[in-house]
Amino acid sequence: MSIIDKTIVFVKEKLEKAEGGHDWFHIERVYKNALLIAQEEECNLLVVKLGALLHDIADSKFNDGDETVGPKVAKEFLEKENVDQSTIEHVINIIENISFKGGNFEKQFHSKELDIVQDADRLDAIGAIGIARTFNYGGFKNRVIYNPSIAPNLSMSKEEYKNSEAPTLNHFYEKLLLLKDKMNTTTGKKLAQQRHQFMENFLSQFYAEWEGEK
């Protein structure tokens, strides 16, 4: 069995009971997005594949905010499978630097492979899938859908972003609508445009229905 096949088995097992927006199917979509973007980029495809498969192996949101769990779990798995050290280090750097974290996080590491996996992950946070995941997570956290009296906070610190209990709709303004302009690759930017427009259309319809206009 190849290292990719072994990683897929490992990730499916680890995320068997994960919340619906961060489960195996999220990983699978990001993996497919990453492969699509990688076709147009000069990159190490093994690193891209492993980075995409392991990027959410232990999301800090579900581990009491601990950002060290994911890299640790991934590192232990890859070492057990005798993956070479430089590949392991690259994959760990991707996991540690991929997250949005309120948009105020400066990446400590840069590579074409990180750019690809980050774009792939961000694509899954926008468009129709992004809308579905956002409301799924809002329900999971028992947040109100929308409250007109609570404005989005566009200058949150990383900690504020992590601990936010704001209405689900605010998340569109605090993250989702910002992602189009944060894409790294040409393919990522192109795909993001259409998904972004879909979200804009959804919000227009949402507000019209909220006000009883449509």
Side-chain angles (χ1 to χ4, degrees):
M1 192 185 287
S2 74
I3 182 59
I4 297 302
D5 290 334
K6 286 179 181 176
T7 306
I8 287 170
V9 170
F10 173 70
V11 173
K12 280 184 175 177
E13 190 179 287
K14 288 293 284 184
L15 298 182
E16 191 180 359
K17 296 191 171 126
E19 177 266 338
H22 299 82
D23 57 4
W24 160 249
F25 295 112
H26 163 62
I27 303 298
E28 186 177 42
R29 291 189 304 270
V30 171
Y31 182 69
K32 289 175 181 174
N33 287 341
L35 293 182
L36 178 64
I37 295 168
Q39 289 175 14
E40 304 296 324
E41 304 290 338
E42 285 284 331
C43 65
N44 181 328
L45 197 54
L46 176 62
V47 170
V48 168
K49 288 178 175 180
L50 291 173
L53 289 170
L54 292 166
H55 81 278
D56 251 352
I57 195 63
D59 193 301
S60 63
K61 286 192 286 293
F62 308 102
N63 288 277
D64 298 320
D66 190 342
E67 294 173 10
T68 66
V69 180
K72 182 170 177 288
V73 170
K75 187 169 190 281
E76 287 172 358
F77 166 75
L78 293 171
E79 285 179 343
K80 184 167 69 70
E81 296 299 334
N82 297 313
V83 174
D84 71 271
Q85 201 57 41
S86 66
T87 298
I88 292 175
E89 285 174 13
H90 199 157
V91 171
I92 298 309
N93 274 317
I94 288 173
I95 295 169
E96 289 176 341
N97 287 275
I98 192 172
S99 183
F100 181 73
K101 296 175 185 167
N104 298 315
F105 172 69
E106 282 293 321
K107 284 193 281 195
Q108 304 302 308
F109 173 81
H110 297 273
S111 76
K112 179 56 69 177
E113 291 76 15
L114 170 58
D115 287 348
I116 291 168
V117 179
Q118 189 173 57
D119 278 6
D121 188 38
R122 287 177 170 175
L123 283 171
D124 204 55
I126 59 179
I129 296 281
I131 292 168
R133 288 181 67 211
T134 299
F135 286 104
N136 184 76
Y137 186 72
F140 176 76
K141 299 294 279 186
N142 200 30
R143 292 177 180 167
V144 298
I145 291 175
Y146 176 49
N147 183 337
S149 66
I150 301 176
N153 181 355
L154 301 180
S155 57
M156 278 188 282
S157 68
K158 183 175 136 186
E159 286 307 308
E160 285 175 321
Y161 178 78
K162 231 162 50 170
N163 298 317
S164 173
E165 295 179 0
T168 297
L169 211 73
N170 288 20
H171 193 59
F172 283 84
Y173 301 94
E174 293 164 354
K175 177 182 178 180
L176 308 193
L177 294 171
L178 307 178
L179 293 180
K180 172 177 68 72
D181 296 328
K182 292 181 177 291
M183 303 301 281
N184 305 297
T185 65
T186 303
T187 305
K189 288 173 182 172
K190 188 169 71 180
L191 294 169
Q193 288 284 351
Q194 191 266 338
R195 297 190 187 203
H196 181 89
Q197 188 57 54
F198 188 91
M199 293 191 298
E200 294 274 21
N201 295 344
F202 167 80
L203 289 168
S204 295
Q205 181 72 19
F206 181 94
Y207 293 126
E209 291 181 14
W210 186 273
E211 298 297 340
E213 294 168 358
K214 280 189 180 176

